[in-house]
Amino acid sequence: MPAFRALKTLARSLSTAAKSTSELVGTTPSHRCYIFLHTPQPPSEYPAKYATPIQRALLLRTAKWGGSVNFSWSEDQKSVCARPPGEEDKQEYHLTAFAHLRGKLEATVSMDNIEEVGEKLRVHAEGVSGATPSNSDDVHLYVCTHGARDCRCGDIGGAVAQAIRDELRKRRDTNLSDPSTRIKLAEVAHVGGHKYAANLLVYPHGEWLGEVEPEDVPEILDAILALPVRPRNIDEIPICPSHWRGRMGLSKDEQVQLLQRTYS
């Protein structure tokens, strides 16, 4: 009976992975660097279409070499108070960026230094000689909770974000030196793929997960914490294959081929 149950579990896992291959894999937008602008308000308070002068200007400068710019919030990350209406072009942001070659980079950006920051991000993303890779042990999880954009992100994303908070609190209350103390959780605006809610982005690893439910959280955290804290290489197997949407630094075809090789 134990052997039968094991075979049954394996078959169910392979079936789920096959479903993932056809519906989830390859849905991560191709990017070399993902940039999060820290906001003082959570995504649950963002309007349906959220953009600011700094975000648009930074995207204009980074998209040409594979940068993507989004907004993030957490109680722990540094942020600058929002400027009043009519002064949005004077806004300043703390940002956290992740590149597939160099890991994490932090900076502060405004219209006054946007050219300098844009160039710093390019150098970081392209691994130009002289750029210093991050040696941080922090793992950053980002859950899309942009409910005004799509209720599924608000409802399921919000539930998953809360489940992660609860699970981290439980583990840390049990053991103050638990590896989960390295995990930093934030909520983000629209990442694309509402129907895959909850969407969970894992950095610096660069893994994107979808169709995450609150009950999946413990297993996903265990899988993440078992990995070295760095961007995943092009040929390393996906984490949580049944939830895997794709990876930073890979095209759609490369994402699909990688998961197919994993189960071939």
Side-chain angles (χ1 to χ4, degrees):
M1 288 299 291
F4 174 76
R5 283 197 298 269
L7 288 172
K8 189 175 181 180
T9 300
L10 176 61
R12 184 163 56 246
S13 175
L14 291 174
S15 175
T16 303
K19 176 185 176 186
S20 174
T21 301
S22 62
E23 297 183 5
L24 279 176
V25 68
T27 61
T28 295
S30 179
H31 65 289
R32 300 170 67 188
C33 179
Y34 210 90
I35 304 153
F36 297 95
L37 301 177
H38 303 182
T39 66
Q41 75 273 29
S44 59
E45 298 178 12
Y46 296 167
K49 297 291 181 70
Y50 187 37
T52 67
I54 287 286
Q55 181 263 341
R56 288 190 292 264
L58 193 58
L59 181 60
L60 180 65
R61 288 159 175 77
T62 60
K64 64 186 71 174
W65 46 259
S68 186
V69 184
N70 200 350
F71 300 95
S72 72
W73 168 87
S74 80
E75 295 178 344
D76 303 320
Q77 70 183 14
K78 294 190 299 184
S79 64
V80 179
C81 292
R83 302 288 297 191
E87 296 186 10
E88 291 87 355
D89 60 337
K90 299 178 182 178
Q91 183 67 46
E92 183 179 62
Y93 291 97
H94 294 291
L95 68 79
T96 302
F98 299 93
H100 79 294
L101 292 176
R102 296 283 178 170
K104 184 173 73 171
L105 173 71
E106 295 181 313
T108 301
V109 63
S110 68
M111 283 298 189
D112 293 334
N113 71 348
I114 196 164
E115 296 292 347
E116 175 188 344
V117 172
E119 178 63 11
K120 186 176 183 179
L121 289 165
R122 183 193 67 79
V123 168
H124 184 68
E126 295 184 354
V128 176
S129 177
T132 303
S134 171
N135 59 1
S136 172
D137 286 332
D138 290 341
V139 177
H140 295 262
L141 305 184
Y142 296 92
V143 182
C144 178
T145 59
H146 195 171
R149 187 66 179 264
D150 190 282
C151 62
R152 289 167 290 188
C153 297
D155 294 343
I156 307 174
V160 166
Q162 188 58 51
I164 294 173
R165 289 190 189 94
D166 293 343
E167 181 66 18
L168 292 178
R169 187 179 302 112
K170 182 177 73 173
R171 294 185 183 205
R172 293 166 185 178
D173 286 347
T174 303
N175 179 4
L176 292 177
S177 60
D178 189 85
S180 64
T181 56
R182 295 187 282 111
I183 292 180
K184 311 297 182 185
L185 173 67
E187 300 177 26
V188 297
H190 171 67
V191 299
H194 315 299
K195 65 181 180 179
Y196 307 129
N199 289 295
L200 173 62
L201 282 52
V202 184
Y203 287 101
H205 309 70
E207 301 288 74
W208 283 39
L209 307 179
E211 297 183 352
V212 177
E213 299 285 349
E215 56 267 27
D216 299 320
V217 165
E219 181 180 357
I220 288 175
L221 291 181
D222 287 342
I224 292 169
L225 289 169
L227 299 174
V229 183
R230 58 165 174 74
R232 301 287 282 165
N233 294 330
I234 188 171
D235 57 350
E236 290 183 295
I237 64 172
I239 64 168
C240 306
S242 61
H243 295 285
W244 197 68
R245 289 187 58 181
R247 176 176 299 161
M248 172 174 60
L250 299 182
S251 68
K252 176 178 179 178
D253 288 344
E254 288 171 332
Q255 294 168 31
V256 172
Q257 291 165 9
L258 176 57
L259 193 64
Q260 288 175 341
R261 289 198 303 271
T262 300
Y263 285 96
S264 61

